[in-house]
Amino acid sequence: MVALILWNAWYLITWNGGKLLVEYLATTLHHYTMLFGQSYDDLEIEKRVVGVMRKQRVDGLIISLSKETNSYNHLEAFEKYGIPIVCFDRVPTIKNINKVYCNLFDGTIEMVAWFFNKGYTRIALINGPKTLAASVVII
């Protein structure tokens, strides 16, 4: 069983008449059972959902952390029991955690070049909290 916790409904990409693409791939092609959770960017809800996933004895956790997450104590039980965690989108700066993220340095350069090529010259970049790896990239 794999658990997936999302902070934003945007990630619930639908496909084939409303089925979630990730759910379709996991359940149909690989015969997994999927549990989905939604934190709505609220740390307390994230903690509750993570607790439920742990109590359900999931085999793994895929999580996009809430914007309020600045401590990872609620994830420590997974490590204690050898349950892998994969963070995506909002990746923490802690060591020994699996993560999926893009190359923000090269992506930013490509993005600015695209704007310049389109004739835009007044470009702003808004970055997130320093607790996330994406926010500490020096451009």
Side-chain angles (χ1 to χ4, degrees), residues 108-120:
T108 302
I109 291 171
E110 288 179 29
M111 174 187 61
V112 171
W114 183 86
F115 278 120
F116 279 138
N117 289 334
K118 295 290 183 182
Y120 298 102

Side-chain angles (χ1 to χ4, degrees), residues 72 76 79 85 87 91-99 131 133:
Y72 310 101
E76 288 177 359
E79 184 177 347
I85 299 172
C87 292
V91 177
T93 56
I94 58 177
K95 295 179 182 179
N96 301 325
I97 194 158
N98 302 299
K99 47 194 150 207
T131 56

